[in-house]
Amino acid sequence: MTQGAGQGPVVRTATLRDFRVPPYAQVPVQSGEPGRPAPAAPAPGGPPGPTGGAPEQPAAVRDQVAVRDRSDAVRDQPVTAPGQGAAVPAPLAATAEHPPGAPERPAADVSGHPGDAVPADEPPEGYTPTERDLPVITRVNRGDTVQAVVAPAEEAETDGPGPLFVVGDVHGYLDELVAALGEQGLIDGEGRWSAGNARLWFLGDFTDRGPDGIGVIDLVMRLSAEAAAAGGYCKALMGNHELLLIGAKRFGDTPVNSGAGTATFQAAWILNGGQRTDMERLQDVHLQWMSRLDAVVEEDGHLLMHSDTTAYLDYGSSIDDVNDTVHQILTRNDADECWDLFRKLTKRFAFRDEGGPQAVQELLSQYGGGRVVHGHSPIPYLLGEVGTEDASDDEGDTGPVVEGPHVYADGLAIAMDGGVTMAGKLLVVRLPLAN
């Protein structure tokens, strides 16, 4: 098992409900300014990397960015530097070994990919990342899981809003995203918008763990301009990994108050699958784009959000209030405040257990809509159907089987994270789901 680029293995915890700081990663508050930890020193063994605190990784590690990550929710844990004066645990900087039986993919060639078509200095003309206007999904019942039925977008009527599509967590898997969008008729063979007035929402988490997160962002930004020109739109929501990447870039190894010791965005980003190649290619236009993303929207009776948590209620009594508050937090650029936002939007499984329907109803009654549609928590974990860590292909374990979105919480919630980082499926489906 690998932890993104250069990460060591961790123990699977399938029911983790929140990020937690492991004991080995806690850093005591240092003396100095009262109540404020002293900044962590660079990791031993070499100077800080070009990303503002990330340790230089061996070439062998960088070459592993294309290996599919099969670890789980434990990766979503903010961590601290291990011991005084170290920014990242030593195992995290070690070369990642490829486990027997783990699926491999060829190294990403980002030079000529559909995702690499956005100018580096400014967003494409017509780009509207947070304008609130948006598209429709069918399904076939398979117990508690639904399978999206391909409904080509070119059949959309010319008058009025087009069909509504949503995309689950991508996590850097650009090739899988291009294939899934093409299957739904949203892009053509050259990766260009071909869906007319269709409406497309991404539910967040574009980077980390997979090989080309920046290519994913570039593709979404370009499709936004092309869709707008065609009378439709392509938009995106803020995921916890967007907050994590913003924090790692802005704050690096600056200590933050995590509630369980002292943490840093840089160390948390590395543990949660941060890719060195993404950080090297990250530009101001990407940071500005991520910082303007909304956290919650309501479309055609669907309340769209990234995380399956009620923590959104802490940020406002209306959708506009929540989005304005999130934007203000990112604008103030306070490390502790950004960390608290990241931590809260990393919570999960609020809709899964006995009190799940009530939790969904609380959000719907406050913000509107008849169903919550979210990403964040992989469907295999929601279903309790995860493979074993040591199973090999010879034993018939090819990864979790995800046929489509997962409807649960008395039909009030739809989960869209198909577990692409676990050899699952990257989901692009049309709403509403057929009953």
Side-chain angles (χ1 to χ4, degrees):
M1 178 176 65
T2 59
Q3 288 292 107
Q7 270 62 268
V10 296
V11 178
R12 177 182 295 276
T13 306
T15 58
L16 186 66
R17 293 179 178 271
D18 197 357
F19 284 111
R20 284 179 172 79
V21 180
Y24 68 79
Q26 297 180 10
V27 178
V29 175
Q30 306 298 316
S31 59
E33 182 181 348
R36 184 67 180 175
T51 63
E56 186 72 17
Q57 296 180 351
V61 176
R62 297 194 297 271
D63 291 341
Q64 289 285 341
V65 297
V67 178
R68 181 183 295 275
D69 186 352
R70 301 193 60 159
S71 53
D72 66 1
V74 163
R75 293 170 303 181
D76 280 335
Q77 297 182 9
V79 300
T80 66
Q84 184 173 346
V88 181
L92 300 183
T95 300
E97 296 293 337
H98 180 64
E104 297 187 22
R105 63 182 65 246
D109 178 10
V110 299
S111 59
H113 204 284
D116 290 330
V118 175
D121 53 347
E122 61 183 15
E125 183 178 356
Y127 171 64
T128 55
T130 60
E131 212 175 290
R132 297 162 190 155
D133 19 287
L134 215 153
V136 187
I137 301 182
T138 56
R139 71 180 171 101
V140 175
N141 277 319
R142 291 191 176 184
D144 200 22
T145 303
V146 295
Q147 181 178 20
V149 177
V150 175
E154 55 266 27
E155 296 178 2
E157 297 180 1
T158 56
D159 296 332
L164 171 64
F165 292 83
V166 291
V167 184
D169 301 36
V170 181
H171 282 300
Y173 287 99
L174 179 58
D175 291 338
E176 285 82 351
L177 174 61
V178 169
L181 293 174
E183 288 175 2
Q184 288 285 12
L186 294 165
I187 61 174
D188 60 22
E190 296 181 351
R192 302 289 176 177
W193 181 262
S194 62
N197 66 343
R199 300 168 292 160
L200 178 63
W201 275 102
F202 285 80
L203 299 181
D205 277 9
F206 301 101
T207 66
D208 303 337
R209 301 177 184 161
D212 195 4
I214 298 302
V216 171
I217 292 176
D218 283 342
L219 174 62
V220 177
M221 292 174 67
R222 175 170 59 76
L223 290 179
S224 176
E226 294 174 359
Y233 59 83
C234 169
K235 300 182 181 181
L237 294 179
M238 176 79 70
N240 62 305
H241 279 262
E242 280 68 65
L243 293 170
L244 184 57
L245 182 57
I246 292 170
K249 181 66 174 180
R250 286 184 181 179
F251 307 117
D253 289 324
T254 300
V256 294
N257 296 322
S258 70
T262 304
T264 73
F265 271 105
Q266 183 70 34
W269 174 73
I270 291 174
L271 181 65
N272 287 288
Q275 302 294 307
R276 179 179 177 82
T277 52
D278 282 346
M279 187 64 79
E280 289 173 342
R281 296 167 59 205
L282 183 65
Q283 300 178 27
D284 287 344
V285 65
H286 302 126
L287 290 169
Q288 294 166 6
W289 179 82
M290 289 188 291
S291 298
R292 293 197 301 263
L293 297 177
D294 283 340
V296 186
V297 297
E298 190 272 328
E299 291 289 346
D300 297 354
H302 298 89
L303 188 63
L304 309 181
M305 58 183 61
H306 174 70
S307 304
D308 46 327
T309 178
T310 58
Y312 294 94
L313 296 168
D314 295 344
Y315 294 98
S317 58
S318 70
I319 289 176
D320 286 346
D321 287 345
V322 173
N323 293 328
D324 289 344
T325 299
V326 170
H327 296 154
Q328 290 166 10
I329 289 173
L330 293 174
T331 299
R332 285 194 291 269
N333 210 35
D334 178 88
D336 285 329
E337 195 173 21
C338 288
W339 179 269
D340 190 59
L341 175 63
F342 160 67
R343 180 183 63 82
K344 287 183 177 179
L345 294 192
T346 299
K347 294 181 178 180
R348 64 174 80 247
F349 299 150
F351 316 143
R352 188 184 64 174
D353 299 324
E354 184 177 350
Q358 182 178 351
V360 178
Q361 286 285 15
E362 188 177 1
L363 287 165
L364 296 176
S365 63
Q366 189 67 55
Y367 300 136
R371 262 182 173 177
V372 164
V373 182
H374 69 86
H376 188 49
S377 291
I379 291 171
Y381 300 129
L382 290 170
L383 293 174
E385 298 175 354
V386 292
T388 60
E389 289 286 318
D390 54 357
S392 67
D393 291 339
D394 293 338
E395 295 170 323
D397 181 19
T398 58
V401 177
V402 176
E403 298 293 342
H406 172 54
V407 181
Y408 67 117
D410 292 346
L412 295 175
I414 303 174
M416 282 291 302
D417 184 351
V420 66
T421 65
M422 309 156 49
K425 185 175 183 179
L426 200 162
L427 297 177
V428 179
V429 294
R430 182 175 171 175
L431 295 175
L433 300 178
N435 292 321

